[in-house]
Amino acid sequence: MSRVACVVTAFHPSPGLIGNVKALVAQSGRVIVVDDGSGPGYDHIFGQVAETGAEIERLATNSGIGAALNRGVERARQTPGIDYIVTVDQDSTLPPGYVQALLEGEAAARSRGLIPGLIGPARIRGNPVMSAGTRNGVVLGKEPIQSGLMITVDALEHVGAFQETLFIDLVDTEFYLRATDAGWPTILADAEFDHSLGTFVDARVLGKPVNLPAGPLRVRTAATWRYYYIFRNRILVSRQYAKRHPVWVATGLWADVRHLAWVTVFAPGRISRLLAASAGVRDGLLGRSGKKPGV
């Protein structure tokens, strides 16, 4: 495990971060927690995180997940002998043996003549991760989320850093596309962890709940402010990869529009959500990036 470093990004974390980091310290040679500008109000939490044996890197301002990841990765790579970096969100819980399972998956792929750049889990909260087929008998991954993802240092040297100008959303997808184009495939290992993918709310139409035979309909949504970045970055990244990955661009745009339509019909907060998405579309078309103006 001394060859593995974990980089955890955090922003306004709950005390749950302490236990999540403690679980990582037991699985890797080095754990670096990057505070993305939470401010002094979270000193007590980061103080307890430091007591687990993790290193703390605190950014002065909220710079986005890309910048936080890059800072942590840069610090991790200063340690001689680090060959793998696992990136983790603050609310992800990696169970015992998780990192070892990723290492075993990478070793199995190499034994079959495939050298991966990214290694992800086959399941998240019991749900199968998207697969891109197989190669040499190894299951390939498709658009892995960055939490719980292992990246080889060799791949990082060739692919480069995470794209900080996206700030948040599609940062992991853009890195995956760049790695794929550079010849570093993603594979799925026999591993699983717990990670929250959005918030579920009760569906309502005209103020009335939507009930199905199996019970109330529930809809998964993201925080309202996220819809700005979801739609802006979808346009920005699509522009970068439209020629090389036209199917990905078309599929991604359709999925985002379909999701927005679904939550507009069924989830409260419709107006705010539509305004955020519209502002994202506008700035995406104008080529604007970075942190949303005025935030």
Side-chain angles (χ1 to χ4, degrees):
M1 294 302 179
S2 61
R3 301 170 64 198
V4 180
C6 292
V7 173
V8 184
T9 55
F11 179 67
H12 292 175
S14 73
L17 173 66
I18 302 165
N20 289 342
V21 171
K22 188 175 182 180
L24 294 176
V25 170
Q27 296 189 57
S28 65
R30 191 177 183 190
V31 177
I32 300 166
V33 180
V34 182
D35 167 32
D36 191 13
S38 297
Y42 292 83
D43 289 352
H44 63 294
I45 291 181
F46 288 107
Q48 293 181 66
V49 170
E51 292 176 359
T52 68
E55 304 170 38
I56 309 297
E57 178 89 15
R58 303 195 70 174
L59 305 184
T61 60
N62 181 215
S63 304
I65 194 168
L69 286 169
N70 287 338
R71 182 68 66 86
V73 168
E74 179 183 2
R75 183 163 170 171
R77 292 181 61 185
Q78 293 173 359
T79 301
I82 293 294
D83 296 319
Y84 306 93
I85 294 176
V86 179
T87 59
V88 188
D89 284 348
Q90 64 186 23
D91 56 355
S92 294
T93 303
L94 303 190
Y98 179 86
V99 173
Q100 181 61 38
L102 296 189
L103 288 172
E104 291 174 356
E106 194 258 0
R110 285 178 175 269
S111 70
R112 297 183 179 184
L114 182 63
I115 301 178
L118 293 78
I119 305 96
R123 299 169 302 280
I124 298 178
R125 302 192 77 174
N127 299 309
V129 171
M130 289 189 298
S131 169
T134 62
R135 187 186 306 172
N136 298 356
V138 178
V139 180
L140 301 178
K142 183 179 182 181
E143 288 188 59
I145 65 171
Q146 67 84 17
S147 190
L149 181 67
M150 177 179 283
I151 307 172
T152 69
V153 169
D154 287 342
L156 282 165
E157 290 179 350
H158 287 85
V159 177
F162 290 93
Q163 193 170 118
E164 297 184 10
T165 54
L166 295 176
F167 194 78
I168 193 171
D169 284 302
L170 291 184
V171 173
D172 44 10
T173 296
E174 190 281 328
F175 186 86
Y176 157 79
L177 291 171
R178 193 159 21 110
T180 301
D181 288 347
W184 294 95
T186 298
I187 67 164
L188 300 181
D190 185 15
E192 179 178 350
F193 74 104
D194 189 15
H195 177 72
S196 176
L197 295 173
T199 302
F200 282 90
V201 299
D202 291 333
R204 304 183 73 87
V205 176
L206 299 177
K208 297 182 180 180
V210 179
N211 294 311
L212 301 176
L217 176 65
R218 293 178 62 78
V219 181
R220 187 176 69 186
T221 68
T224 298
W225 60 269
R226 289 284 294 274
Y227 286 87
Y228 169 83
Y229 293 104
I230 289 171
F231 279 85
R232 187 200 68 178
N233 291 351
R234 178 65 65 180
I235 293 173
L236 293 178
V237 177
S238 293
R239 282 180 162 179
Q240 294 179 57
Y241 292 93
K243 290 184 178 180
R244 297 191 298 278
H245 300 280
V247 175
W248 174 84
V249 169
T251 302
L253 287 170
W254 167 243
D256 284 347
V257 170
R258 181 181 58 187
H259 169 76
L260 182 62
W262 182 259
V263 295
T264 298
V265 172
F266 291 111
R270 298 167 178 82
I271 300 301
S272 297
R273 195 179 299 114
L274 286 171
L275 288 174
S278 298
V281 170
R282 177 200 63 211
D283 285 358
L285 293 174
L286 292 173
R288 293 173 179 166
S289 60
K291 191 174 184 179
K292 182 183 178 182
V295 177

